[in-house]
Amino acid sequence: MMVVVVENAPPRLRGRLAVWLVEVRAGVYVGQYSRRTRERIWAEVQAAIGDGNGVIAWTAQTDIGYAFDTCGRNRRMPVDLDGLPLVAFHPDETPL
C-alpha cells in the first residue's frame, strides 16, 4: 500500500494523481502498486509539485514496516538515525 499527500499542489498534478490513486480526502491519495509504478508516480509528483510539497509513504520490508520520502518546500524532512527513519523539523524561514 502507498499513501501520497500533497499540499498546495497544482490542479494538473492533483488530477493526474486521481487517475492512478483514490483521493480519500483533499490532497490524500491511496493505492497499491508495484515498486516500479510507485516510483513513476512519485517522479511525476516531484516534477510537477511547483511551490507545493508532498510526502509518500509505502509498505516496505523494514524494521518499522514502511518507508517514506518528501519533496518540495516543507519544514519536515526525513532523517536516518541508525537505520530508523525520523522526521526533523526545520525552523520557519520567515522572520517574526
Tab-separated table of all heavy atoms in Angstrom, residues 4-5 10 22 25 31 35 37 43-44 51 59 61 64 71 77 80 84 87 89-90 94 96:
chain	number	residue	atom	x	y	z
A	4	VAL	N	0.035	9.025	-0.751
A	4	VAL	CA	0.659	10.260	-1.216
A	4	VAL	C	-0.176	11.409	-0.682
A	4	VAL	O	-1.393	11.426	-0.847
A	4	VAL	CB	0.726	10.323	-2.755
A	4	VAL	CG1	1.304	11.655	-3.213
A	4	VAL	CG2	1.520	9.162	-3.322
A	5	VAL	N	0.502	12.367	-0.038
A	5	VAL	CA	-0.177	13.560	0.475
A	5	VAL	C	0.493	14.773	-0.161
A	5	VAL	O	1.715	14.897	-0.118
A	5	VAL	CB	-0.085	13.649	2.013
A	5	VAL	CG1	-0.788	14.902	2.515
A	5	VAL	CG2	-0.662	12.404	2.661
A	10	PRO	N	-0.453	21.972	-7.787
A	10	PRO	CA	-1.192	22.474	-8.949
A	10	PRO	C	-2.360	21.539	-9.296
A	10	PRO	O	-2.260	20.323	-9.118
A	10	PRO	CB	-0.149	22.461	-10.069
A	10	PRO	CG	1.168	22.363	-9.397
A	10	PRO	CD	0.942	21.676	-8.092
A	22	VAL	N	-6.820	6.709	-5.393
A	22	VAL	CA	-8.108	7.154	-4.877
A	22	VAL	C	-7.859	8.315	-3.920
A	22	VAL	O	-7.052	8.207	-3.000
A	22	VAL	CB	-8.824	6.003	-4.131
A	22	VAL	CG1	-10.109	6.496	-3.493
A	22	VAL	CG2	-9.097	4.853	-5.073
A	25	ARG	N	-9.359	12.005	0.780
A	25	ARG	CA	-9.574	13.313	1.397
A	25	ARG	C	-8.808	14.311	0.549
A	25	ARG	O	-7.913	13.942	-0.195
A	25	ARG	CB	-9.044	13.283	2.828
A	25	ARG	CG	-9.471	14.444	3.644
A	25	ARG	CD	-9.270	14.197	5.106
A	25	ARG	NE	-9.913	15.302	5.780
A	25	ARG	CZ	-10.486	15.213	6.929
A	25	ARG	NH1	-10.487	14.068	7.558
A	25	ARG	NH2	-11.046	16.253	7.473
A	31	GLY	N	-3.349	3.914	-2.707
A	31	GLY	CA	-3.406	2.880	-3.724
A	31	GLY	C	-2.395	1.794	-3.435
A	31	GLY	O	-1.635	1.870	-2.462
A	35	ARG	N	6.583	-1.557	-7.099
A	35	ARG	CA	7.643	-0.593	-6.830
A	35	ARG	C	7.889	0.299	-8.039
A	35	ARG	O	8.020	1.515	-7.919
A	35	ARG	CB	8.938	-1.320	-6.457
A	35	ARG	CG	10.109	-0.366	-6.210
A	35	ARG	CD	11.416	-1.112	-5.995
A	35	ARG	NE	11.788	-1.948	-7.124
A	35	ARG	CZ	12.423	-1.525	-8.210
A	35	ARG	NH1	12.749	-0.256	-8.335
A	35	ARG	NH2	12.727	-2.359	-9.179
A	37	THR	N	5.852	1.170	-10.523
A	37	THR	CA	4.770	2.126	-10.719
A	37	THR	C	4.793	3.197	-9.643
A	37	THR	O	4.601	4.387	-9.932
A	37	THR	CB	3.409	1.408	-10.743
A	37	THR	OG1	3.446	0.381	-11.741
A	37	THR	CG2	2.279	2.371	-11.027
A	43	ALA	N	7.923	10.199	-9.182
A	43	ALA	CA	8.715	11.043	-10.081
A	43	ALA	C	7.837	12.130	-10.703
A	43	ALA	O	8.270	13.277	-10.849
A	43	ALA	CB	9.384	10.203	-11.168
A	44	GLU	N	6.608	11.790	-11.050
A	44	GLU	CA	5.688	12.786	-11.599
A	44	GLU	C	5.327	13.838	-10.555
A	44	GLU	O	5.223	15.022	-10.866
A	44	GLU	CB	4.430	12.111	-12.142
A	44	GLU	CG	4.684	11.348	-13.424
A	44	GLU	CD	3.408	10.922	-14.119
A	44	GLU	OE1	2.375	11.621	-13.966
A	44	GLU	OE2	3.445	9.905	-14.817
A	51	ASP	N	5.447	25.014	-6.259
A	51	ASP	CA	5.676	25.639	-4.957
A	51	ASP	C	5.084	24.830	-3.809
A	51	ASP	O	5.222	25.215	-2.651
A	51	ASP	CB	5.065	27.042	-4.927
A	51	ASP	CG	5.812	28.002	-5.847
A	51	ASP	OD1	7.016	27.780	-6.071
A	51	ASP	OD2	5.182	28.957	-6.322
A	59	THR	N	4.422	0.596	2.120
A	59	THR	CA	4.782	-0.614	2.833
A	59	THR	C	6.144	-1.080	2.357
A	59	THR	O	6.394	-1.130	1.156
A	59	THR	CB	3.738	-1.719	2.574
A	59	THR	OG1	2.446	-1.221	2.902
A	59	THR	CG2	4.034	-2.965	3.371
A	61	GLN	N	9.825	-3.672	3.506
A	61	GLN	CA	10.435	-4.694	4.355
A	61	GLN	C	11.509	-4.049	5.227
A	61	GLN	O	12.706	-4.270	5.043
A	61	GLN	CB	11.029	-5.811	3.489
A	61	GLN	CG	10.015	-6.578	2.693
A	61	GLN	CD	9.096	-7.387	3.588
A	61	GLN	OE1	9.493	-7.886	4.632
A	61	GLN	NE2	7.842	-7.506	3.187
A	64	ILE	N	10.346	-1.060	10.755
A	64	ILE	CA	9.090	-0.410	11.123
A	64	ILE	C	7.946	-0.747	10.169
A	64	ILE	O	6.807	-0.400	10.417
A	64	ILE	CB	9.265	1.117	11.234
A	64	ILE	CG1	9.769	1.715	9.932
A	64	ILE	CG2	10.169	1.469	12.385
A	64	ILE	CD1	9.815	3.229	9.920
A	71	CYS	N	9.102	15.794	-0.791
A	71	CYS	CA	9.579	16.688	-1.847
A	71	CYS	C	8.944	18.056	-1.662
A	71	CYS	O	7.931	18.191	-0.982
A	71	CYS	CB	9.275	16.126	-3.237
A	71	CYS	SG	7.537	16.127	-3.688
A	77	MET	N	11.586	17.183	7.259
A	77	MET	CA	12.493	16.480	6.363
A	77	MET	C	12.867	15.138	6.974
A	77	MET	O	13.121	15.051	8.180
A	77	MET	CB	13.764	17.292	6.126
A	77	MET	CG	13.510	18.652	5.471
A	77	MET	SD	12.690	18.566	3.875
A	77	MET	CE	13.939	17.820	2.896
A	80	ASP	N	17.786	9.825	8.809
A	80	ASP	CA	18.033	8.446	9.199
A	80	ASP	C	18.881	8.441	10.466
A	80	ASP	O	19.963	9.009	10.495
A	80	ASP	CB	18.751	7.709	8.066
A	80	ASP	CG	18.896	6.234	8.378
A	80	ASP	OD1	19.789	5.894	9.154
A	80	ASP	OD2	18.112	5.444	7.839
A	84	LEU	N	16.811	3.964	11.587
A	84	LEU	CA	15.444	4.298	11.962
A	84	LEU	C	15.071	5.640	11.336
A	84	LEU	O	15.682	6.658	11.646
A	84	LEU	CB	15.311	4.392	13.484
A	84	LEU	CG	13.926	4.714	14.025
A	84	LEU	CD1	12.953	3.583	13.713
A	84	LEU	CD2	13.990	4.950	15.520
A	87	VAL	N	11.661	12.181	11.543
A	87	VAL	CA	11.332	13.435	10.864
A	87	VAL	C	11.941	14.583	11.661
A	87	VAL	O	11.691	14.720	12.858
A	87	VAL	CB	9.812	13.623	10.730
A	87	VAL	CG1	9.488	14.963	10.099
A	87	VAL	CG2	9.209	12.488	9.926
A	89	PHE	N	12.325	18.703	12.155
A	89	PHE	CA	11.604	19.945	11.902
A	89	PHE	C	12.617	21.059	11.751
A	89	PHE	O	13.414	21.313	12.649
A	89	PHE	CB	10.649	20.268	13.059
A	89	PHE	CG	9.473	19.357	13.108
A	89	PHE	CD1	9.538	18.159	13.799
A	89	PHE	CD2	8.301	19.689	12.466
A	89	PHE	CE1	8.450	17.310	13.845
A	89	PHE	CE2	7.206	18.846	12.511
A	89	PHE	CZ	7.285	17.650	13.201
A	90	HIS	N	12.597	21.726	10.613
A	90	HIS	CA	13.467	22.861	10.369
A	90	HIS	C	12.744	24.126	10.806
A	90	HIS	O	11.535	24.244	10.632
A	90	HIS	CB	13.841	22.951	8.888
A	90	HIS	CG	14.601	21.751	8.423
A	90	HIS	ND1	15.911	21.533	8.755
A	90	HIS	CD2	14.228	20.697	7.668
A	90	HIS	CE1	16.326	20.408	8.224
A	90	HIS	NE2	15.305	19.863	7.555
A	94	THR	N	10.660	32.419	7.792
A	94	THR	CA	10.104	33.761	7.769
A	94	THR	C	10.390	34.452	9.112
A	94	THR	O	10.183	33.861	10.165
A	94	THR	CB	8.589	33.747	7.505
A	94	THR	OG1	7.952	32.962	8.509
A	94	THR	CG2	8.293	33.171	6.135
A	96	LEU	N	9.898	36.927	12.335
A	96	LEU	CA	8.705	37.301	13.112
A	96	LEU	C	8.340	38.710	12.937
A	96	LEU	O	8.718	39.659	12.809
A	96	LEU	CB	8.923	37.003	14.599
A	96	LEU	CG	9.058	35.528	14.907
A	96	LEU	CD1	9.415	35.358	16.377
A	96	LEU	CD2	7.768	34.811	14.623
